[in-house]
Amino acid sequence: MSEVKIEKLCKSYGPVEVLKDIDLTVEDGSFVVLVGPSGCGKSTLLRSIAGLEPVNSGNMTIGGRQVNDLPPAQREIAMVFQSYALYPHMDVYNNMAFGLKFAKTPKAEIDARVNEAARILQLDPLLKRRPRELSGGQRQRVAIGRAIVRKPQVFLFDEPLSNLDAALRINTRVEIAKLHKMLKATIVYVTHDQVEAMTLADKIVVMNKGRVEQAGKPLDLYYKPNNLFVAGFIGSPAMNFLPAVAKKSGVLELSDGQELKVKLPSACKPGDKVTLGCRPEHMTLGGTGMLKLNGMIDLIERLGESGFAHVRLPSGQSLVIEVRGDPGFRSGDAVNTSLEAKHLHLFDTLGHRIY
Amino acid sequence: MRKPASAIAVHGILILYTALALFPILLVIMNSFKARKAIFGAPLALPTPSTFSLIGYDKVFGDSSIVSYYLNSITVTGGTIFFTLLFGAMAAWALTEYKFRWNTLLALFLAVGIMVPIRLGSVSIIQLIVELNLINTLTALIFVYTAQNLPLSIFILSEFMAQIPKDLREAGRCDGLSEYNIFFYIVLPLIRPAMATVAVFTMIPVWNDLWFPLLLAPTGGKQTITLGIQQFLGQYITDWNAVLSALSTAIIPVLILYVIFSRQLIRGLTSGAVK
């Protein structure tokens, strides 16, 4: 069992609180991804789990063992750094074997483990090379290999793909997903790339300003974001937000006077200010749905099989709408946009989800 | 491509400078192979079969004490390099890696050590060495030279250590290395070029120094070679053959050390440059 449990974790640098009351459970064998904008504390949280950053208060267990005061080596974790942090003066074999040598592992055992890791990661022909003779992707694999040979309870990845080029990033992402399946390892993974988060994670933890905004399965976060921040962070391009005021039952008035007939929850009283959210992929240009908004096309970005239309409402607000195939419109055209009622989100003035 | 005229000028200046720097050394070596009369008769002439003589070398190596002076110099220089590098690197590592209360103040204190010449403290150093009962020992010289060289070496080494990525030491920590092992197995191998630089800077002044051997170990067979040669310089008669031969041979050990370190230095630089 290698469950990671974090309770009420707080950390501050002087007066600056970087982690506030973090509660998080990483189930045994699961792949948990921490996402958030830069400076949100996700890397700090990962380094706290690793034991590289001291914490101010809170409790942390790995595999049922309290690790608060243990140094990194005794936490049975392995970390893959963003910069890979390979030892430049050692060849690939020694990079992987280095930690085991200091743990007084028998030579034959070290050999077996390194060769096994090299086989899994296809590093066999590179064992005698120095890190500087390797490509970015190969260095990345060595860094992962160094983690595997330690047979840790938990793998910690700190933005491992951000130094790779786009094509390699997709390949390596798939490899990491396969590796997770094969090793059945518990993984905590930090990234700011939400595609990585959505594709890899069993559970995504969205962080902002040192807090956990929401934790859950990727699609739960996508369909039912708890608050404005998560709604805006998950999904690309981001969800459209429109400020609105609730009128008498079932009507929302936008700032430019356009009205939408929406089934409002009982908590929403006439006069309440709310924010309406709708994803680009849940809107259509010139559709025939019940919920329509008038606007003008500013620009259409074509990506091939799909594209994004930027539509300006009379209020001056801009919406991004996904279009498939040829939309039959050009920039400058006046259009109706229709919204799918079942994919609308409503948030109150504090940003909490109300519908 | 550089213009030929400026290339010639640059090389001309460099050749002139090299000639200027090498001329005295060449003069010493040349004359060490000549008979006494020839040294005075034509100091700038090369040794010819008629003026060639090894009498200086015979005298120097016939005198067993001179050989032991060489060994003294080698011991003192080697010991100083070793302790300067060891303690300098350790202190530099502590100052760059660990944040503690007096960190900045300590670094400043050491920087002052670079500015104040240690010779100003000669009198108190003598008193200290006498109190410690270390007068006329090589230990005293190694102590003083190590102290003299530590500030600058700490300064140079910490600059290099600050460039070692933080992730590397943290990877070491995750791999279960103790702080000492991180220092010896990760940090030291990575700053080898800097260590070679410091070794060269340390070695030459120590080897050539006359001041402290004169003060701290003037007798008792513990003289260094620079001091030992003085026995050939008399108030009325100077045995130039012996002096020049001794000086010529004194170049060799320091040259060997320099070759060792400078190869290390070049290897370090190129290995870092080629990514």
Side-chain angles (χ1 to χ4, degrees), chain A residues 54-71:
Chain A
V55 295
N56 296 67
S57 63
N59 196 27
M60 215 182 320
T61 61
I62 295 176
R65 197 164 57 115
Q66 188 171 7
V67 296
N68 284 29
D69 301 316
L70 291 182

Side-chain angles (χ1 to χ4, degrees), chain A residues 47 73 83 86-87 89 102 150, chain B residues 167-168 170 174-176 185:
Chain A
R47 293 163 50 80
S83 63
L86 301 179
Y87 307 120
H89 53 296
F102 279 93
R150 302 195 58 222
Chain B
D167 282 355
L168 269 186
E170 295 191 330
C174 286
D175 264 346
Y185 291 98

Side-chain angles (χ1 to χ4, degrees), chain A residues 85-90 95 98 130-132, chain B residues 93 157 159-169 181-196 264-265 267-269 271-272:
Chain A
L86 301 179
Y87 307 120
H89 53 296
M90 296 177 207
N95 258 289
F98 195 52
R130 295 279 180 101
R132 67 169 178 272
Chain B
W93 180 238
L157 292 175
E159 286 302 307
F160 274 80
M161 283 174 179
Q163 288 167 16
I164 297 179
K166 205 172 158 217
D167 282 355
L168 269 186
R169 11 197 210 213
N181 285 337
I182 290 177
F183 175 74
F184 282 112
Y185 291 98
I186 298 178
V187 178
L188 284 195
L190 292 179
I191 56 157
R192 271 210 312 236
M195 306 246 289
Q264 186 57 254
L265 200 139
R267 194 190 306 164
L269 290 178
S271 79

Side-chain angles (χ1 to χ4, degrees), chain B residues 20-158:
Chain B
L20 213 62
L22 287 181
F23 179 68
I25 298 170
L26 195 69
L27 204 63
V28 166
I29 295 174
M30 240 161 53
N31 283 307
S32 71
F33 289 105
K34 289 183 347 195
R36 188 177 169 80
K37 263 190 186 159
I39 295 175
F40 285 101
L44 293 180
L46 286 168
T48 61
S50 61
T51 59
F52 182 82
S53 158
L54 283 176
I55 183 161
Y57 289 94
D58 282 346
K59 265 190 204 154
V60 167
F61 290 107
D63 188 340
S64 66
S65 59
I66 290 286
V67 177
S68 77
Y69 297 161
Y70 271 121
L71 289 179
N72 289 345
S73 266
I74 291 169
T75 312
V76 168
T77 311
T80 305
I81 290 173
F82 178 77
F83 287 113
T84 305
L85 287 181
L86 180 70
F87 295 131
M90 284 178 144
W93 180 238
L95 286 173
T96 43
E97 174 66 1
Y98 304 113
K99 296 286 159 254
F100 52 93
R101 202 156 161 221
W102 303 109
N103 189 315
T104 322
L105 204 69
L106 204 59
L108 274 176
F109 174 70
L110 288 166
V112 170
I114 301 174
M115 298 168 217
V116 180
I118 194 170
R119 268 152 223 198
L120 287 183
S122 294
V123 173
S124 26
I125 288 175
I126 293 174
Q127 284 173 342
L128 189 69
I129 297 298
V130 169
E131 290 287 315
L132 289 171
N133 237 343
L134 289 175
I135 214 86
N136 281 336
T137 60
L138 299 180
T139 322
L141 287 176
I142 293 175
F143 272 168
V144 173
Y145 287 139
T146 305
Q148 176 186 347
N149 286 303
L150 268 180
L152 188 62
S153 64
I154 291 171
F155 190 72
I156 295 173
L157 292 175
S158 37

